[in-house]
Amino acid sequence: MTIADDIIALEKDALDRWCAGDPDAFLDLSADDVTYFDPFRETRLDGKAALASLYGELRGKIFAPRHEMIEPKVQVIGDAAVLTFRFVSWNGSEGDRVAWNCTEVYRRAPEGWRIVQTHWSFTGAGLAGGQ
C-alpha cells in the first residue's frame, strides 16, 4: 500500500462513520492543532477541542446512507500530504443531493497520519436537489 492508499482509506472510513452520524473517526484523525473551515461557519475553528465541540453538536444528526468520494488525489510533501476530492451524498439530512469539495492536509505523526487542516466548500452544483 502506498501513502496515498493509506490516507484515502483513513478518509473513507471516517466519511462512512460521519455519514452514519458518528464524527469520532474524524476527531481521532485530527491533530491537537487542527484548523477547520466549512461554508456554515463565518470563521475558522482552531484546535481539536473546538472541533470536538462542533462535532458534538452534530453527533447523530448527519445521515447520508448513499455517499461517494470522487477522484481523490493525494500529494505527498515530506511528512505532509494533501488530500483533495469531491464528495457527494444523497438522501441525507441536508437534502436529496449535496456536492462538496474537500481539502484535508495530513501530517505524519508517531501515531500515524493526522489531519491538521480541513476545508469543505460546496461545488458549483452545491445543494442541487434530485440528481
Side-chain angles (χ1 to χ4, degrees), residues 21-100:
D22 177 9
D24 287 340
F26 276 115
L27 286 175
D28 292 345
L29 284 176
S30 294
D32 289 340
D33 60 343
V34 66
T35 61
Y36 176 91
F37 283 107
D38 80 29
F40 298 107
R41 304 196 50 80
E42 289 189 30
T43 60
R44 181 187 66 229
L45 281 179
D46 291 325
K48 192 171 182 175
L51 189 61
S53 178
L54 171 67
Y55 285 177
E57 295 170 15
L58 299 174
R59 185 179 312 283
K61 296 179 182 174
I62 298 197
F63 295 100
R66 181 176 166 217
H67 56 276
E68 183 178 356
M69 177 191 271
I70 302 168
E71 297 177 336
K73 180 176 182 172
V74 176
Q75 297 165 286
V76 179
I77 308 148
D79 283 335
V82 179
L83 168 62
T84 55
F85 61 94
R86 290 179 297 131
F87 181 76
V88 178
S89 61
W90 294 267
N91 296 322
S93 53
E94 292 116 341
D96 289 338
R97 179 184 184 275
V98 183
W100 301 88

Side-chain angles (χ1 to χ4, degrees), residues 6 76 106 110:
D6 289 342
V76 179
Y106 282 80

